[in-house]
Amino acid sequence: MLCGRQYTQKMIQRLGKFSQRLMALSQARARSRLGFMMGAVVFSWDRDRITEDDLQNVIDDMDHIQHQCDADKKYEHYMDTWELIIDKEHLKLWRKPLPSSDLYEYKVYGTFYDIPPTAFFMVQIDCDYRKQWDKLVIDLDVIAKETEDEAGSEVIHWVTHYPFPMYSRDYVYVRRQRVDYEKKVMVLVARSVEHPLCPVNDQYVRVSQYISEMVIQPHGEFEENGFDYTLTYYDNPQAPFPTPAYYWMAKKGVPDFVDKLHMAAKQYQETQASKYQRANNFCFSSNTDHTAPTIQLSYAS
């Protein structure tokens, strides 16, 4: 996901034993479409970039969730179409069925008290560090940038392991991040695109439907421990798992992945001290353009 896959390797291994034959058929069909898809790739920054409105809509979504219980009841029914499947003090998980599909969109709302928001933010976008803590990553590269700095959108190619007998998956997506000083939030948005520099190939199964949206809101200052966050996530992994299996993976996999993010953020402060200090220098500067950090890193969500 901006976060990564919500399904842990152990879970997928268990389910893979029951779906080998179906997976082989699915992969054969995917490879048979390869030639057509390679010839149809069109990308345009005007159409495919993540806009300021896109970022603001994600921030507004978190505001609505946080204010569901306000006295004016303005957002009382905001989550009525979502099913609450985890309800813990510091972690809530909802799901909502997607139209004409057996798949679901997921929304997480959680809180951490022992790590600062800057570390959690950097864990999401530091590509080199992601390769260290996420053992499923095969490759993670920026293949195109809208601007020379980090204020605009950029296109990422991400390849991740799936356990045998399933093919590894690859994602091509546009992503953008912003630190909003007035509202004191960090926002990261990613969604799938096609790009001519990264055509479909028969080595991986391309995940062509993917969305990840995260907002991080400090309790105090950006460098101080404590923050709330929301994550809205959806992808279609092109795997023929039955609906109950997806439910089980989400209920188990989301908390596991959030725990990994938490541990990675704690370790980031210790092992990536120079990068972390550069992030802090940005977040606590008097910069007023309200864009994402000008840090020379390879980004990935």
Side-chain angles (χ1 to χ4, degrees):
M1 60 196 193
L2 270 274
C3 292
R5 296 291 310 141
Q6 62 177 303
Y7 316 131
T8 65
Q9 186 170 5
K10 184 176 180 181
M11 294 175 186
I12 298 175
Q13 284 174 331
R14 292 178 183 174
L15 291 166
K17 294 178 182 179
F18 297 100
S19 58
Q20 293 183 22
R21 294 178 64 184
L22 289 173
M23 197 64 228
L25 177 60
S26 174
Q27 290 162 352
R29 289 174 176 171
R31 290 193 296 271
S32 71
R33 296 193 298 267
L34 174 61
F36 171 78
M37 294 181 70
M38 288 183 65
V41 174
V42 176
F43 178 85
S44 165
W45 285 118
D46 288 340
R47 182 194 64 202
D48 295 320
R49 70 164 58 94
I50 292 171
T51 67
E52 287 292 323
D53 286 344
D54 293 332
L55 296 175
Q56 188 58 53
N57 288 338
V58 175
I59 294 172
D60 290 343
D61 179 68
M62 182 172 192
D63 289 342
H64 298 342
I65 293 173
Q66 289 180 316
H67 295 119
Q68 281 187 93
C69 298
D70 282 356
D72 60 12
K73 303 295 182 182
K74 182 177 180 180
Y75 301 113
E76 181 180 10
H77 301 291
Y78 185 70
M79 297 295 292
D80 281 358
T81 60
W82 295 75
E83 176 190 1
L84 183 63
I85 59 177
I86 294 179
D87 188 8
K88 297 181 178 179
E89 183 178 359
H90 303 308
L91 179 68
K92 299 183 185 299
L93 171 64
W94 296 266
R95 69 173 186 172
K96 180 173 69 173
L98 294 167
S100 303
S101 172
D102 292 330
L103 300 174
Y104 288 82
E105 183 178 16
Y106 296 93
K107 192 180 295 290
V108 182
Y109 179 73
T111 302
F112 287 117
Y113 295 102
D114 60 341
I115 54 175
T118 306
F120 198 66
F121 176 80
M122 293 303 298
V123 164
Q124 312 289 325
I125 65 176
D126 186 337
C127 176
D128 292 334
Y129 186 58
R130 177 68 181 264
K131 292 176 182 178
Q132 295 177 36
W133 67 264
D134 188 347
K135 303 306 180 184
L136 296 180
V137 170
I138 299 173
D139 204 1
L140 203 53
D141 294 300
V142 177
I143 62 173
K145 288 184 132 185
E146 183 181 11
T147 60
E148 289 301 318
D149 59 23
E150 281 74 36
S153 299
E154 50 194 2
V155 179
I156 312 292
H157 182 220
W158 169 34
V159 185
T160 182
H161 282 294
Y162 262 53
F164 181 85
M166 289 179 279
Y167 278 54
S168 298
R169 265 54 177 172
D170 78 328
Y171 299 69
V172 178
Y173 56 91
V174 61
R175 62 148 297 165
R176 187 178 177 189
Q177 66 277 345
R178 187 179 79 188
V179 178
D180 189 320
Y181 294 88
E182 293 180 357
K183 293 196 172 184
K184 196 174 285 188
V185 296
M186 296 167 160
V187 56
L188 305 101
V189 176
R191 60 177 179 237
S192 55
V193 293
E194 293 183 353
H195 198 281
L197 293 179
C198 195
V200 176
N201 65 68
D202 61 2
Q203 186 177 3
Y204 311 116
V205 174
R206 173 63 53 86
V207 177
S208 58
Q209 296 172 293
Y210 167 69
I211 294 174
S212 180
E213 302 170 341
M214 176 171 276
V215 178
I216 304 168
Q217 187 169 67
H219 293 164
E221 301 300 327
F222 284 113
E223 81 277 21
E224 297 174 348
N225 286 351
F227 60 90
D228 301 322
Y229 68 92
T230 59
L231 168 66
T232 303
Y233 181 87
Y234 158 71
D235 76 351
N236 182 353
Q238 305 291 325
F241 298 143
T243 299
Y246 278 113
Y247 177 83
W248 176 74
M249 286 190 293
K251 196 165 184 179
K252 298 293 184 181
V254 169
D256 288 349
F257 188 77
V258 168
D259 286 344
K260 287 183 179 179
L261 285 176
H262 175 248
M263 291 303 302
K266 294 194 74 170
Q267 294 169 4
Y268 191 87
Q269 294 175 267
E270 302 170 2
T271 64
Q272 310 290 315
S274 62
K275 292 180 181 179
Y276 180 66
Q277 185 57 49
R278 290 162 73 190
N280 281 345
N281 289 342
F282 169 81
C283 290
F284 320 132
S285 73
S286 59
N287 189 326
T288 58
D289 66 3
H290 296 188
T291 58
T294 307
I295 303 170
Q296 298 304 314
L297 299 173
S298 294
Y299 290 144
S301 66

